Amino acid sequence: MITPPNSDGLNEKQKQSVTLSEDTSALILAGAGSGKTRVLTHRIHYLVSEKNYYSDDILAVTFTNKAANEMKERLSELLYQPIGRMWVGTFHSLAHRLLRAHAIDANLSPTFQILDAQDQFRIIKRLMKENGVDETKFPIRKVQWFINQQKDEGLQPHNIDAGYNFFVKQSTKIFDLYEKHCQANDLIDFAGLLMKSYELLKNNSSLLEHYQNKFKHILVDEFQDTNRIQYQFIKILHNENNHIFCVGDDDQSIYGWRGARIENIQKIENDFKPIEVIKLEQNYRSTGNILSASNALIANNQNRLEKSLWTESGDGDLINVFNAKTETEESQYVVSEIENQFNQGRNLDECAILYRSNAQSRVFEEVLIKKNINYRIYGGLRFFERAEIKDAMSYVRLTENTSDNIAFERIVNFPTRGIGLSTIEKIRSHSIENHTNLFQSSIAIKDTLPSRASNALQNFIQLIESIKDNVKNLELSEKVDTILVQSGLMDHYLNDKTDKAGSKRENLDELVNAASQYTHEEENEMSETEGFIAIATLDSSGDSNPGSNDCVQLMTVHSAKGLEFPVVFLVGLEEDLFPSRQSKDEAHLLDEERRLCYVGMTRAMSSLTLSYASRRFIHGQSFYSMHSRFLDEIPRNFLNYVKNPISDSVSSYFEEVKSPTQKIPASPNDSKYVIGQMVSHAKFGVGTVINYEGSGDSMRLQIKFQKVGTKWLISSYAKLEIF
C-alpha cells in the first residue's frame, strides 16, 4: 500500500481511504470519532501532492463554516502554502460563490442581496399583511418553514399540489408572492442559494460541462445530512470524467426534521457506480464500554449500513445510570457529580449536560445558579444575528450598495432621526411605482414632503453619501470602525444607560476585530467588503457566546453533534421525552430518535451518565414517567445503576407542588419498593412501579412493563429484582 505524505497517525483503513486510486469514487462510512476530517484533508493533500492535481480541480463541501475553516487551515499546513481560491466551503457559501460568478445567467444582478432568516421573516410578514392573510390562522414562522421546506425539496410554487389542504394552498400563494418580491428586489434567501445554483447548472449545458470538467474530484463531508436539493446539486456535477469521495455515517443522521434524507447516503452505491465502500470503525474518542453500549443501542435500527466502533484505549468505567424521583432531583444529582469531577481536577468546560428539549435546561440552570457554578447555554443567538451587529452591518451594506433595500429599511430611522412610518410608506410606494430602489426613491420624493420630514430624510441621504465618500479608500477594519462612529451607533450605545448597552458596545468593537481578521479569497468575484458582508450573512457557526471562561456546557443533543467532552450527562431518558411522544408511532421517526441517543452517548470520551426521572412536571402537573426503551436496549453488563445518594435531609429541596387532580401516594414505611422504582421480573422483563395496594406480605404492586404493559403482582411472590 502507498503511504501518503505526512500520514503519520493514520490507521490502515484511513490510509486505504486516502490513497484510493484517483479513478475511483468512494463512500467512506466514518463512525463517530473515527477521524473523518483527517481523512478528508489528507485525501486532498494526496491528490494535489502525489497525483499532481491543481487545488482548484477539487470541490470540497462541508456543512458548517467552522468545519470549512478547519479544513482550510489543515490543508494550508499540509501543503505548506495558502490554498487561495480552492473551492472549499459549505453548500451555501459555494452556491453563493457560483451565483456571484454567473449572476446574469442565474437571472440575478451582480449586486444581489442575501436574506437571512430574520429578513425573510419580516418580508413574509409584510406580504401577508398587505394581502390580508390572517397570521393567527397562518402563523408566519410556519409559513416561513413551509417555504424553505419546499425549496429544500427543489420545488417552486407552480410545482406544489396543495390538493384539499387549505394551509398548503394558502402558504403556496404566499410563497408565490414572496418569490416575485425577491425577484423584483434582487434578493435571495439561504434555501434559494442552493436551488438557484442547481437551476443555473441544469438550465445551462455549457456552464454545467465547464464545472463537470473543472472539478475532477468532489469531496462531501457529513453526507448523511444532505437534503434533496443538495444531493441533486452534487449529482448534477458528477459525470463519467470526475469522481466523488463522500464521507458520512448513517447512524448519525439526526436532521430529518429539517429536510435531511438518510436515504441519500444509503443510495450512493446505486447512483454513483462504480464506488468503493470503506468503513472507518476505529474510534479515537470514547472508551470501550461507551462504544460497546452505543453499538448495542444502534443495532436495533433496521436498514442501516452496518458498522461497529472499537477502540484500543481500553474498556474504561461502566456507564452510570441514575433514576431520580423527580427532574429536580435529577438536576441536583448531575450538578453534585460535576462538583465531584471539578474537585478531582476536571475543568468545568470538560463537563456537558445534554438534553432532548431546550425546556429541560431550566432545572439544571436553577441548581447551577444556586451552587454559583458558571455555565453556558450552547447554540443560542449567533454573533451576526444580534440586533446591534445586524444594524451595524446594514450600514456597511447600504454604504457599499445603496440599492440594498433590506439594509435601508432597517437603519433609515435607527438611531432615531425623525423619519416616520408615513414617510417610509411614501418611499416604498414610489419605489414600486417607478421600479427604483428605496434610496433612489428617497432622493426623488424628499422635496415633496413636509419640511420636517424632508429635512430628516435629506440628513439621512447626506449621511450615507458622506460615509460612502469617507471610507472608499480605507482598509476593511478602518472602514467598519468609521461607519460605526459616523452612523451614530457608537454614540447611541454610549448614551444608553440600560444594562445591556455595555455588552452591545463590546460586540460592536468585536465586529471591527472580525473585519481585521477577515481574509479575502474571492477577489475576482466580489470586493473585500462584499466578501465580508457575505461571510456575515452566511455565518453558521452556531456558537452563541464563545468566551474563554471555564463553564459547564448545556445544550440539546442536536447541538452537540460534532463536539466531544470528557464527561457527559445525557439526561431525561424517559418515554415520551426521549424518544419523543411524536416519534413513537412511526418507525422512521423512532429510528432517528435512537440515532440521536447514539450521537449523545458517543459525545462522551471517558465518563457517561444516563439519567431519568420517575416523575416530571409538564405544564404545571406531575406525571409518572417510564424510563426510555433505549435503556433496555443497552446490555446491563455495560451499566452501573447508581444508588440514589439524595438523603432525607435535603428532601425539602425537592418538594413538589402536587397537582390538585392527582393524588400521589406515599410508600409504606416497611416497603422496599417506591413508586417510580425500576424493577425486573424473570418473565415480564423490566418495568416501573406505578402504584401499590396494602403492605407487608400481602402488598400488591402495579408495574408498567416495557414489553407486556401494566400488571398487578403480589410482592412476596413476584421475586422482583430492584435496580
Side-chain angles (χ1 to χ4, degrees):
M1 177 178 292
I2 300 171
T3 302
N6 296 322
S7 63
D8 292 344
L10 292 178
N11 63 41
E12 288 305 309
K13 286 292 184 181
Q14 289 173 334
K15 288 179 184 177
Q16 181 186 348
S17 304
V18 167
T19 59
L20 276 173
S21 166
E22 73 264 35
D23 297 325
T24 303
S25 289
L27 167 60
I28 311 300
L29 277 177
S34 62
K36 64 180 179 60
T37 304
R38 187 174 181 81
V39 166
L40 276 167
T41 52
H42 277 79
R43 174 63 174 173
I44 295 171
H45 176 231
Y46 175 74
L47 291 170
V48 174
S49 297
E50 292 294 301
K51 296 302 176 181
N52 300 318
Y53 286 95
Y54 293 110
S55 60
D56 59 358
D57 288 340
I58 296 168
L59 175 70
V61 190
T62 68
F63 266 81
T64 66
N65 286 328
K66 179 181 177 183
N69 291 334
E70 287 177 359
M71 187 178 291
K72 289 176 182 178
E73 288 173 7
R74 292 193 191 188
L75 284 171
S76 183
E77 292 171 2
L78 286 171
L79 297 170
Y80 300 107
Q81 61 181 5
I83 59 172
R85 292 178 48 74
M86 183 177 175
W87 287 68
V88 177
T90 64
F91 273 103
H92 291 101
S93 66
L94 293 171
H96 173 242
R97 182 173 173 179
L98 188 67
L99 291 175
R100 286 289 178 196
H102 307 284
I104 303 301
D105 292 323
N107 200 24
L108 295 165
S109 83
T111 58
F112 70 84
Q113 299 299 312
I114 306 172
L115 291 173
D116 65 14
Q118 292 180 35
D119 292 334
Q120 184 188 43
F121 176 88
R122 281 198 296 271
I123 289 172
I124 294 170
K125 180 176 183 176
R126 197 172 83 219
L127 289 171
M128 287 173 62
K129 184 177 180 180
E130 290 173 353
N131 288 274
V133 180
D134 186 351
E135 66 179 75
T136 61
K137 295 179 181 177
F138 300 92
I140 302 167
R141 294 278 180 212
K142 196 171 180 181
V143 174
Q144 182 181 24
W145 180 271
F146 172 85
I147 291 172
N148 291 331
Q149 193 176 43
Q150 305 314 305
K151 291 190 173 189
D152 286 343
E153 290 295 309
L155 298 176
Q156 293 282 11
H158 64 270
N159 302 130
I160 300 168
D161 180 10
Y164 295 100
N165 188 317
F166 188 61
F167 175 82
V168 173
K169 188 175 292 187
Q170 186 67 278
S171 296
T172 301
K173 290 180 182 177
I174 300 165
F175 183 12
D176 189 45
L177 291 169
Y178 169 76
E179 284 297 281
K180 288 174 179 173
H181 175 87
C182 289
Q183 188 66 47
N185 290 276
D186 210 28
L187 302 171
I188 190 165
D189 55 40
F190 279 8
L193 288 169
L194 261 297
M195 194 166 177
K196 278 277 190 185
S197 297
Y198 173 71
E199 290 173 346
L200 170 69
L201 296 174
K202 183 181 178 183
N203 299 328
N204 192 321
S205 58
S206 61
L207 199 62
L208 174 60
E209 185 178 355
H210 166 76
Y211 281 104
Q212 286 176 333
N213 292 331
K214 174 180 175 58
F215 298 131
K216 307 295 191 301
H217 291 273
I218 301 169
L219 296 90
V220 188
D221 193 10
E222 304 285 11
F223 201 85
Q224 76 281 349
D225 292 336
T226 53
N227 59 32
R228 185 177 183 274
I229 196 68
Q230 290 164 342
Y231 189 84
Q232 292 299 321
F233 182 74
I234 295 299
K235 191 174 178 182
I236 200 172
L237 282 171
H238 174 66
N239 69 2
E240 66 276 4
N241 298 319
N242 60 27
H243 304 282
I244 69 162
F245 188 90
C246 298
V247 180
D249 180 8
D250 58 323
D251 289 336
Q252 296 187 76
S253 178
I254 60 173
Y255 296 116
W257 51 277
R258 70 180 189 196
R261 293 188 167 200
I262 190 172
E263 59 265 30
N264 287 351
I265 194 170
Q266 294 170 339
K267 66 182 183 180
I268 285 178
E269 292 181 73
N270 289 325
D271 284 1
F272 297 97
K273 290 180 179 178
I275 191 167
E276 186 165 345
V277 179
I278 299 175
K279 297 179 182 180
L280 301 184
E281 298 172 297
Q282 184 173 358
N283 177 282
Y284 294 94
R285 176 188 298 153
S286 306
T287 60
N289 281 324
I290 292 172
L291 294 179
S292 296
S294 302
N295 287 334
L297 172 73
I298 202 62
N300 289 276
N301 275 5
Q302 304 298 311
N303 303 316
R304 54 184 287 265
L305 302 170
E306 190 174 342
K307 76 188 78 63
S308 184
L309 299 180
W310 59 276
T311 183
E312 292 181 341
S313 66
D315 289 341
D317 295 334
L318 294 175
I319 297 169
N320 290 324
V321 179
F322 180 69
N323 176 201
K325 294 188 182 77
T326 67
E327 74 268 35
T328 313
E329 185 174 289
E330 179 186 42
S331 63
Q332 176 71 3
Y333 170 75
V334 167
V335 174
S336 69
E337 286 300 298
I338 289 173
E339 287 183 300
N340 290 340
Q341 293 282 347
F342 181 75
N343 291 334
Q344 292 168 22
R346 290 273 188 205
N347 295 326
L348 290 177
D349 61 7
E350 294 181 278
C351 302
I353 303 172
L354 311 183
Y355 34 77
R356 178 65 182 82
S357 165
N358 274 312
Q360 290 172 257
S361 74
R362 182 189 58 80
V363 288
F364 294 97
E365 291 185 71
E366 286 181 359
V367 180
L368 288 164
I369 290 169
K370 184 172 182 178
K371 296 277 190 176
N372 199 29
I373 297 174
N374 292 332
Y375 69 92
R376 180 167 70 96
I377 302 289
Y378 187 97
L381 200 62
R382 298 193 290 267
F383 178 76
F384 285 107
E385 288 179 338
R386 294 169 184 171
E388 64 274 17
I389 299 302
K390 286 177 69 66
D391 292 334
M393 287 305 300
S394 291
Y395 274 101
V396 175
R397 286 165 53 178
L398 193 63
T399 302
E400 185 70 13
N401 176 16
T402 53
S403 65
D404 189 334
N405 289 344
I406 298 295
F408 179 94
E409 290 214 38
R410 186 175 186 98
I411 60 172
V412 65
N413 196 40
F414 187 82
T416 305
R417 52 176 58 90
I419 300 174
L421 290 175
S422 61
T423 299
I424 295 172
E425 283 300 329
K426 290 175 182 176
I427 296 170
R428 282 187 192 138
S429 296
H430 182 276
S431 173
I432 293 169
E433 291 169 6
N434 294 276
H435 306 289
T436 62
N437 61 59
L438 298 178
F439 192 80
Q440 289 174 325
S441 292
S442 298
I443 296 170
I445 72 161
K446 62 181 173 60
D447 293 334
T448 68
L449 300 173
S451 59
R452 186 174 177 182
S454 177
N455 289 336
L457 191 56
Q458 176 64 27
N459 288 339
F460 176 68
I461 293 167
Q462 289 176 345
L463 172 67
I464 297 302
E465 290 177 338
S466 173
I467 294 175
K468 196 176 179 71
D469 186 57
N470 290 340
V471 303
K472 61 185 178 184
N473 296 318
L474 297 180
E475 296 290 329
L476 178 61
S477 60
E478 295 173 329
K479 181 183 290 189
V480 173
D481 192 27
T482 300
I483 289 171
L484 293 179
V485 173
Q486 292 192 7
S487 66
L489 285 175
M490 274 301 190
D491 280 345
H492 172 77
Y493 290 114
L494 281 170
N495 296 325
D496 186 347
K497 303 305 179 185
T498 60
D499 293 341
K500 294 182 179 179
S503 63
K504 291 185 176 184
R505 290 195 301 272
E506 290 172 1
N507 286 337
L508 292 179
D509 288 335
E510 184 58 31
L511 181 64
V512 179
N513 292 337
S516 67
Q517 294 167 7
Y518 168 68
T519 302
H520 187 53
E521 297 176 351
E522 301 184 19
E523 60 274 9
N524 292 338
E525 293 150 18
M526 291 183 286
S527 70
E528 184 180 36
T529 306
E530 288 172 332
F532 182 63
I533 291 168
I535 288 293
T537 310
L538 293 167
D539 175 69
S540 59
S541 67
D543 195 356
S544 54
N545 14 304
S548 59
N549 290 337
D550 189 19
C551 302
V552 177
Q553 310 293 302
L554 276 69
M555 67 193 75
T556 65
V557 187
H558 281 103
S559 296
K561 176 113 180 335
L563 304 176
E564 59 184 35
F565 305 93
V567 181
V568 168
F569 298 88
L570 184 57
V571 302
L573 278 166
E574 299 143 32
E575 289 292 298
D576 296 336
L577 181 58
F578 201 177
S580 66
R581 184 188 303 273
Q582 298 90 332
S583 70
K584 291 171 64 175
D585 296 329
E586 297 191 51
H588 74 284
L589 295 179
L590 185 59
D591 282 353
E592 181 155 321
E593 289 286 300
R594 189 176 285 109
R595 291 194 295 269
L596 188 60
C597 186
Y598 172 84
V599 165
M601 292 173 65
T602 54
R603 299 311 93 195
M605 299 167 71
S606 58
S607 174
L608 174 62
T609 297
L610 309 175
S611 66
Y612 63 99
S614 296
R615 279 202 311 272
R616 186 173 293 274
F617 268 90
I618 302 173
H619 303 306
Q621 293 194 26
S622 180
F623 292 88
Y624 290 118
S625 305
M626 183 80 176
H627 69 272
S628 171
R629 69 189 68 195
F630 298 152
L631 285 170
D632 295 334
E633 294 172 357
I634 301 172
R636 288 206 62 186
N637 57 301
F638 301 123
L639 304 177
N640 170 45
Y641 282 85
V642 178
K643 296 292 184 184
N644 193 325
I646 308 297
S647 66
D648 292 338
S649 63
V650 294
S651 62
S652 60
Y653 184 87
F654 307 114
E655 187 173 351
E656 297 179 70
V657 179
K658 305 297 190 297
S659 165
T661 60
Q662 184 178 21
K663 183 178 179 181
I664 301 175
S667 299
N669 292 333
D670 60 348
S671 173
K672 61 181 179 179
Y673 301 105
V674 294
I675 289 175
Q677 191 167 46
M678 201 161 100
V679 296
S680 179
H681 186 272
K683 180 178 179 181
F684 303 134
V686 177
T688 302
V689 178
I690 62 173
N691 205 349
Y692 69 90
E693 289 179 355
S695 61
D697 290 342
S698 62
M699 182 181 187
R700 296 174 69 234
L701 299 170
Q702 187 181 28
I703 302 172
K704 186 174 182 180
F705 290 100
Q706 180 73 55
K707 296 181 179 178
V708 297
T710 301
K711 293 186 178 294
W712 282 95
L713 302 175
I714 298 174
S715 65
S716 56
Y717 295 110
K719 296 182 180 179
L720 297 170
E721 180 184 355
I722 298 174
F723 282 26

